[in-house]
């Protein structure tokens, strides 16, 4: 449980996390960050598959370091849901819970006997969160709900990169993390309703819906432009629907981002009078010509040269940093973005912290993820006295 959980807003809330991989566990992690007791329900044989999802051979206490990142501070109960005895114990545990999260494919929980309609009879006040790749209906229901695949199917990969590039996905699991955020919002909304009505609820989110929601600005433009595919810019593409000069450009020693700026101001600051020949109304219709001029100017001087000109003029611009450079900045230090995980054996690893501040402070959860089944005996012992429903 998070350090100082007694003062956090979700203290006293019990969450059962049946999920694996990313979206579901990340949602449960955020609830834990905010004070909830999160009990991870895992298979006795091997547990969550992410325990072995090792990136660059980084491990902590034998498990994947990434696994510890989004399962920090949770408890672990090992239960075979195909075993009648274990399933009965889990059903009793559900009676004590406030929230249940799973990301099995549609129909799996129903076959196990833990579908929403069944569970609602056990615990009418339960908020039941279900994550899927493509919702519960349609021809894609049985497709693997994996981030890269959904980015590819949803068109996101054709928004990134420049016009001559092939499809370019994001370099991280954007949709999983965003879907987790959607799930947390839905869960908290239902908990708020439960506080006044006593009624639980079913919260359903999926990666495909999240993909379209994240691109609502661009997708709305597409829908209202006769369904014409937006053309990525030839140079400096950062948003196919933004006019010149919006984008990222190479400088003499790196790259810099240049946001929305009137063309006459661009021409003056970059000492490129040819840009002033274009009217502001041509910032989109002639964007590739204008952006190429901007690109040719920027590459003649180092990044700091341009920042010294643009920032005093109030222009939205920034250097493009990699992580090696980013962590050296005063901005990174001031943001205080990192926390340390500490295992009982004394091993440590650094990871990100909760991005939400409560009463002026971000919750800190220094506990690593639990070993498989660590809390099974303790949690099930609590059930020795029949739970009141």
């Amino acid at each position: 449980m998070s350090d100082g959980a007694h003062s956090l807003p979700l203290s006293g809330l019990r969450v059962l996390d049946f999920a694996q991989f990313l979206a579901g566990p990340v949602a449960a992690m955020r609830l834990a960050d905010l004070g909830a007791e999160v009990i991870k329900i895992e298979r006795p044989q091997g547990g969550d598959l992410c325990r072995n999802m090792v990136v660059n051979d980084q491990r902590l206490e034998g498990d994947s370091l990434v696994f510890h990142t989004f399962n920090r501070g949770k408890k672990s109960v090992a239960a075979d849901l195909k075993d009648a005895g274990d399933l009965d114990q889990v059903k009793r545990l559900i009676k004590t819970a406030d929230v249940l999260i799973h990301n099995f494919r549609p129909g799996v929980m129903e076959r196990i006997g833990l579908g929403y309609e069944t569970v609602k009879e056990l615990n009418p006040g339960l908020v039941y969160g279900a994550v899927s790749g493509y919702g519960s209906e349609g021809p894609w229901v049985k497709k693997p709900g994996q981030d890269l695949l959904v980015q590819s199917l949803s068109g996101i990969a054709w928004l990134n990169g420049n016009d001559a590039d092939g499809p370019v996905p994001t370099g991280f699991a954007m949709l999983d993390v965003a879907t987790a955020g959607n799930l947390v919002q839905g869960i908290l909304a239902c908990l708020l309703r439960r506080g006044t009505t006593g009624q639980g609820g079913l919260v359903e989110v999926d990666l495909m819906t999240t993909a379209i929601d994240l691109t609502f600005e661009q997708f709305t433009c597409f829908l209202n432009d006769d369904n014409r595919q937006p053309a990525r810019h030839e140079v400096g593409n950062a948003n196919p629907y933004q006019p010149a000069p919006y984008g990222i450009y190479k400088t003499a020693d790196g790259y810099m981002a240049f946001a929305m700026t009137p063309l006459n101001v661009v021409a003056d600051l970059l000492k490129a009078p040819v840009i002033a020949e274009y009217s502001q109304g041509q910032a989109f219709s002639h964007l590739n010509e204008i952006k190429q001029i901007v690109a040719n100017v920027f590459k003649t001087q180092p990044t700091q040269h341009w920042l010294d000109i643009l920032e005093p003029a109030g222009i939205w611009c920034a250097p493009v940093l990699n992580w090696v450079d980013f962590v050296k900045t005063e901005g990174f230090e001031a943001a205080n973005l990192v926390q340390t995980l500490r295992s009982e054996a004394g091993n440590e690893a650094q990871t990100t912290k909760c991005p939400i501040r409560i009463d002026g402070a971000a919750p800190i959860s220094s506990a690593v993820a639990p070993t498989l089944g660590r809390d099974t005996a303790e949690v099930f012992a609590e059930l020795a006295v029949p739970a009141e429903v």
Side-chain angles (χ1 to χ4, degrees):
M1 188 173 294
S2 300
D3 298 343
H6 64 281
S7 63
L8 292 173
L10 298 186
S11 178
L13 202 73
R14 171 169 281 183
V15 178
L16 303 185
D17 175 10
F18 287 80
Q20 295 192 104
F21 296 105
L22 212 53
V26 167
M29 174 200 71
R30 187 64 69 230
L31 297 176
D33 284 344
L34 296 174
E37 175 197 31
V38 176
I39 301 173
K40 191 171 180 64
I41 311 297
E42 302 185 71
R43 301 171 304 154
Q45 295 78 31
D48 187 331
L49 294 175
C50 280
R51 287 184 178 273
N52 294 308
M53 190 180 72
V54 179
V55 179
N56 292 341
D57 200 31
Q58 295 185 28
R59 290 182 179 272
L60 181 63
E61 299 298 306
D63 290 315
S64 161
L65 178 57
V66 174
F67 173 82
H68 283 277
T69 297
F70 53 84
N71 288 286
R72 59 182 186 245
K74 300 179 183 180
K75 295 181 178 180
S76 174
V77 164
D80 182 356
L81 299 180
K82 296 180 180 179
D83 177 84
D86 280 5
L87 182 60
D88 181 65
Q89 287 284 72
V90 168
K91 287 182 176 179
R92 295 180 66 193
L93 185 59
I94 287 172
K95 293 180 181 180
T96 73
D98 300 284
V99 176
L100 182 155
I101 294 173
H102 82 84
N103 62 352
F104 292 109
R105 291 186 183 183
V108 171
M109 285 291 268
E110 285 74 12
R111 290 195 295 272
I112 293 172
L114 297 178
Y116 175 62
E117 293 302 324
T118 300
V119 167
K120 184 170 65 171
E121 296 298 317
L122 297 174
N123 184 349
L126 185 76
V127 176
Y128 188 105
V131 184
S132 65
Y134 309 92
S136 58
E137 299 179 353
W140 289 357
V141 164
K142 295 184 178 180
K143 282 183 176 289
Q146 195 273 335
D147 195 285
L148 177 62
L149 306 186
V150 180
Q151 285 195 48
S152 300
L153 285 166
S154 66
I156 285 178
W158 285 109
L159 298 176
N160 306 316
N162 290 331
D163 189 52
D165 298 331
V168 180
T170 60
F172 63 100
M174 172 183 71
L175 299 182
D176 276 316
V177 176
T179 299
N182 289 341
L183 180 59
V184 170
Q185 291 178 55
I187 287 171
L188 295 179
C190 282
L191 287 172
L192 186 63
R193 181 181 66 182
R194 189 185 71 170
T196 57
T197 68
Q199 175 187 353
L202 172 63
V203 180
E204 297 175 284
V205 295
D206 63 84
L207 271 66
M208 180 59 75
T209 301
T210 296
I212 299 305
D213 180 63
L214 281 178
T215 56
F216 71 91
E217 180 184 4
Q218 292 77 16
F219 199 67
T220 297
C221 292
F222 165 76
L223 292 174
N224 292 279
D225 190 28
D226 297 324
N227 285 11
R228 290 188 297 181
Q229 176 66 25
R232 295 178 295 179
H233 305 176
E234 293 176 3
V235 61
N237 179 66
N239 181 331
Y241 287 111
Q242 281 287 358
Y246 191 92
I248 288 178
Y249 298 90
K250 192 176 188 330
T251 65
D253 64 349
Y255 292 86
M256 66 173 295
F258 193 24
M260 295 81 74
T261 309
L263 293 184
N264 63 318
V265 177
V266 175
D268 181 51
L269 292 173
L270 300 190
K271 293 183 169 45
V274 66
I275 294 177
E277 297 176 7
Y278 294 93
S279 69
Q280 191 60 40
Q282 294 175 308
F284 192 85
S285 60
H286 290 268
L287 69 89
N288 284 317
E289 299 97 309
I290 298 169
K291 294 186 80 172
Q292 190 59 62
I293 296 169
V294 173
N296 291 340
V297 173
F298 271 135
K299 69 183 180 182
T300 64
Q301 297 290 341
T303 301
Q304 192 59 51
H305 170 87
W306 298 116
L307 294 176
D308 290 342
I309 292 173
L310 299 173
E311 287 185 329
I315 303 302
W316 292 356
C317 60
V320 178
L321 305 178
N322 58 29
W323 281 339
V324 173
D325 294 329
F326 172 55
V327 298
K328 297 175 183 176
T329 64
E330 293 179 353
F332 172 79
E333 182 179 0
N336 192 20
L337 302 172
V338 174
Q339 65 178 347
T340 300
L341 299 179
R342 296 183 177 87
S343 72
E344 294 180 2
N347 295 316
E348 295 185 354
Q350 289 188 307
T351 188
T352 57
K353 63 195 293 188
C354 180
I356 303 167
R357 288 185 293 278
I358 303 294
D359 299 327
I364 298 294
S365 178
S366 60
V368 299
T371 55
L372 175 60
R374 182 194 66 187
D375 306 286
T376 306
E378 175 190 344
V379 171
F380 282 172
E382 174 191 316
L383 304 176
V385 178
E388 296 294 330
V389 181

